[in-house]
Structures are given as C-alpha cells and as structure tokens.
Amino acid sequence: MTTTTADTAEQPTLQRFQPADLDAAPEVNALLERLGLGRLDQEGLASFGGRNDNWAGRTSGGRQVFVKTVARAPEGGSPQLDRALAFEHLAALRPAGSPLRTPAHLGSDRTAAVGVYALLPGARSGSELALDDAFDDDLCREAGRAVAALHSLPVDRTQDSYGDGPAIDTEEAPLPPMPWLEALPWSTVQERSMGQIAAWRLVQDDERVIAALHALRAAERAAPHAPVHCDLRFDQFLQHDGQLHLCDWEEFRLADPARDVGAFAGEWLFHATYAVFAPGAGQEEGPAAGFGLDHAEIIERGAASLRRHTPRITSFWQGYLEQLAREGRTPDAGLAERAAGFAGWHMFDRLLATAELHATLNPVARAAAGIGRTLLLNPSGSVATIGLAQPSGSSR
C-alpha cells in the first residue's frame, strides 16, 4: 500500500510501504538519540521498499529523517556502510555549487550498520519520473553533470581528510559475477525464480556473450579508474524542490566510469523496451507485456520506442561531457565504447532482477536480452546508435 506525507499530499511522491517494526531494530532509535535527533515512533512512519529495512518520518526532536540498515558481514562490520561512508568523506571535498547533490548524511553506526540521512519530503524518484515521461532532456543533462562531478572528485587529496573513516574500496565491482557465467552455485539456484534461471541460461548458453563479458572486464581493468557509484539506476535519483539528488552509495568504489555511463544508458534502453507495452505508455492498449504479439510487431514497436527514448541518453552524455570540461578533464578514448558494453550488461542485469517474480520469460524480456546481446557483441558499432557520440580527447 502506498501513502503520501500530509504536507505534500497534492504531489506524487515516492512509493511508500509499511516499515519494519522498530522494536525489532532498537539500534535505530539508539543512534538517533546519540545524534541528538530524538526518537522515531512507529505510528506515521513509512518505508520506501528496497533490499534493506528503512524508515522515513519525523523524529520527536522535529527532524525529518530517512534511516536505513544494510547487511552486516559475518565477521562483523558492514562493507556496504563503509563504502557509503567513504563516499561521504570524499564528497565533503565538493566545491560550492557542485551539480552532485546528495541527501545530507546525519550520522551512522558502523557496528550496527545503520545510516541516518535527511529526508527529502515530497521527492520523486527517477523511476517515477521516467514512467510519467517527466525525466526529460533537462533532467537527464543534469544527471550527466552530477555523474561527471562524481567521477571528477579528487581522490588524490583525500588522504588527510579521512581521519577514522573507511578508505575507498578498490576491489573489483561484483557484477557481472563472472563465475556464474559457467554455472550458478546450487545455493543460488535454490534462491532464484524459474524466470531468473531462464534468464541466466540466455547468458550461459551463449558463448559469444560470455566472451564479450570477459573482454569487457579486461577493458575495465585497463581503463582509468575514478570514484564511481556502481549501482546507478533511475530509482537512485531523487527530484526535490526542482533539483536532482543522487543517493544510495553502498556500492561506491574506485572503478571504471563507463559503468555509471553505461548503466544510465541501459536504464533508458530497458525502460524503452518495456514502456511501449505498458498501460499508459502512449500506445493503443494491446497485449500486456508483449504476449500475443509476434516477433515483427515487437521489433517494430520496440524500435519506435528506442527512437523516442535515446535522445535522453544523448542529453545525459552532453551534460556529462560539459561537466568534465568544466572540471578540466576529458574522457578517455575508450569510455563511450565500454559504456555501450556496460549498457548491454545492464539490460541483462535488469532482466534478471525483473524476472524474480516470473516463472517464464515473456517475449519482451527476450527482446531486452537481444538488445543487450547486440550491445555486448558490438559496442563500438552501438555507440552512436544509443546516443553516446564517440568523444575526442586523450586519456586523463
């Protein structure tokens, strides 16, 4: 069930759900009280869903907060929270007026793996904006500037600023999980839906896709690394008071900037593939999710949807390049091509996620996989097609 806050009821807001019982998470109010923010009462709280328990509401001290827990490692601590805190330390070096905006971090408990952030009342997620066709060219350009500002953060100046904070993670990003290209662990098979297993078979049965993913990993290792979000999706963007914010830094690390650029492009490509078949997608009503459509109809309607949505990728890319220029930087020569490859992987990644609740893959899901395959097998030939004109310039 979704709700809205009373003071913004006239505006569409983030989807909200019933939050977990605070009595089962005493560390939340314990941290809030140590921070001098007061306590949260279960009544009136909301949750934004997602993998982690979270609570949104006003404390007894009058502060509107968003609190989330993240996974704890068996040996103690939380790598996810450490990565988020590493971002907060680095983000403190942003110049005034930076296009990279984030909800204010109010405090964390590294032992309990809890973080507290300022709530943005009435904010709309990028997912909602995209569904409403409101994630327009201007917002995409703003997103590009924000991501470029992130990639330009001065990691070489952070040594003295960290104090007791965690260092930036330099481990290779976990996705795609390369061992799974050969076979899924039995424990993973038991946890996956039949739709997800079918989606994995599309990858595992395709030797050319597997080879392309290995080549992409090799290119990533050789590329210049920078501070990267590494989990960029529409729902990580929040629009609040006319400004775009980027959140959820649990996968933040030094990595290939092409990951973020490709993920944003992949989000639009995946959205375009599904939006044409969704109710209210600007098309006449037809078979849900592509069932009942023949292959030619799927290709025709999908191609038209891609043509409508790829200008958003171009706007993002233009904003990205503009901000890099302001930072006195240029993209490395292979960035756009690697980004096209990562956009291809993103299509598979989102397909795997959406297949969680399904027993089979519908025709549109297979069309999305086909687009991902094309991008992976021919990233250089896909750069212009998906709106990432090959930049000129040397490696930074």
Side-chain angles (χ1 to χ4, degrees), residues 380-394:
S380 62
S382 303
V383 166
T385 303
I386 66 172
L388 298 175
Q390 182 68 37
S392 60
S394 58

Side-chain angles (χ1 to χ4, degrees), residues 10-349:
E10 73 281 1
Q11 303 176 14
T13 60
L14 289 168
Q15 285 194 325
R16 296 191 170 196
F17 304 90
Q18 185 66 34
D21 190 346
L22 276 174
D23 289 340
E27 63 273 15
V28 169
N29 274 325
L31 174 58
L32 289 170
E33 289 186 312
R34 288 200 302 274
L35 295 173
L37 300 174
R39 294 175 59 87
L40 286 174
D41 186 271
Q42 190 74 31
E43 185 176 353
L45 291 183
S47 170
F48 295 134
R51 293 186 297 265
N52 303 306
D53 285 338
N54 63 79
W55 300 262
R58 190 184 299 272
T59 69
S60 58
R63 190 64 182 266
Q64 295 208 70
V65 299
F66 173 72
V67 186
K68 68 188 299 186
T69 62
V70 294
R72 290 184 242 188
E75 63 274 14
S78 172
Q80 290 185 346
L81 184 58
D82 283 349
R83 286 191 285 268
L85 291 176
F87 165 76
E88 297 296 340
H89 281 277
L90 184 59
L93 299 175
R94 286 173 294 182
S98 171
L100 176 60
R101 305 179 189 91
T102 64
H105 173 244
L106 305 179
S108 293
D109 183 333
R110 292 173 68 184
T111 301
V114 181
V116 181
Y117 302 86
L119 183 65
L120 304 179
R124 302 191 70 201
S125 77
S127 295
E128 292 175 301
L129 295 169
L131 287 171
D132 289 346
D133 202 27
F135 208 143
D136 58 18
D137 288 351
D138 288 341
L139 275 183
C140 287
R141 189 172 287 106
E142 188 176 347
R145 289 195 290 264
V147 172
L150 166 65
H151 294 171
S152 301
L153 287 175
V155 292
D156 55 331
R157 290 171 44 203
T158 63
Q159 187 65 35
D160 295 333
S161 69
Y162 268 72
D164 294 330
I168 301 177
D169 193 347
T170 59
E171 292 293 321
E172 191 170 69
L175 297 177
M178 304 308 286
W180 291 14
L181 300 182
E182 303 300 327
L184 297 179
W186 176 241
S187 59
T188 301
V189 172
Q190 293 176 303
E191 296 169 353
R192 296 300 186 269
S193 71
M194 293 301 295
Q196 286 177 310
I197 293 173
W200 268 111
R201 286 192 62 186
L202 289 178
V203 179
Q204 293 169 339
D205 291 346
D206 194 326
E207 293 182 359
R208 295 185 67 195
V209 165
I210 292 174
L213 287 170
H214 280 287
L216 182 60
R217 277 289 202 183
E220 174 187 22
R221 294 185 190 107
H225 283 196
V228 173
H229 189 283
C230 272
D231 191 26
L232 202 68
R233 302 190 308 272
F234 284 157
D235 57 6
Q236 314 293 29
F237 289 97
L238 301 174
Q239 186 187 39
H240 179 252
D241 285 346
Q243 293 186 323
L244 205 61
H245 296 70
L246 185 55
C247 61
D248 290 351
W249 298 95
E250 288 82 17
E251 293 302 324
F252 172 74
R253 67 191 70 221
L254 289 183
D256 184 355
R259 279 188 170 270
D260 287 347
V261 176
F264 191 86
E267 281 287 87
W268 275 114
L269 297 174
F270 193 78
H271 174 78
T273 306
Y274 272 80
V276 71
F277 302 103
Q283 303 289 322
E284 296 180 4
E285 287 197 24
F291 284 113
L293 296 175
D294 63 29
H295 181 72
E297 289 175 309
I298 291 174
I299 295 300
E300 179 182 357
R301 295 175 66 175
S305 183
L306 289 171
R307 287 194 295 271
R308 288 197 306 276
H309 290 90
T310 49
R312 305 290 168 84
I313 302 172
T314 299
S315 293
F316 171 89
W317 186 233
Q318 290 172 344
Y320 184 87
L321 296 178
E322 290 166 4
Q323 184 62 33
L324 282 188
R326 291 190 184 100
E327 302 277 356
R329 297 170 179 260
T330 56
D332 72 89
L335 176 61
E337 181 175 336
R338 297 194 311 278
F342 277 114
W345 161 249
H346 193 83
M347 296 292 282
F348 281 103
D349 185 46

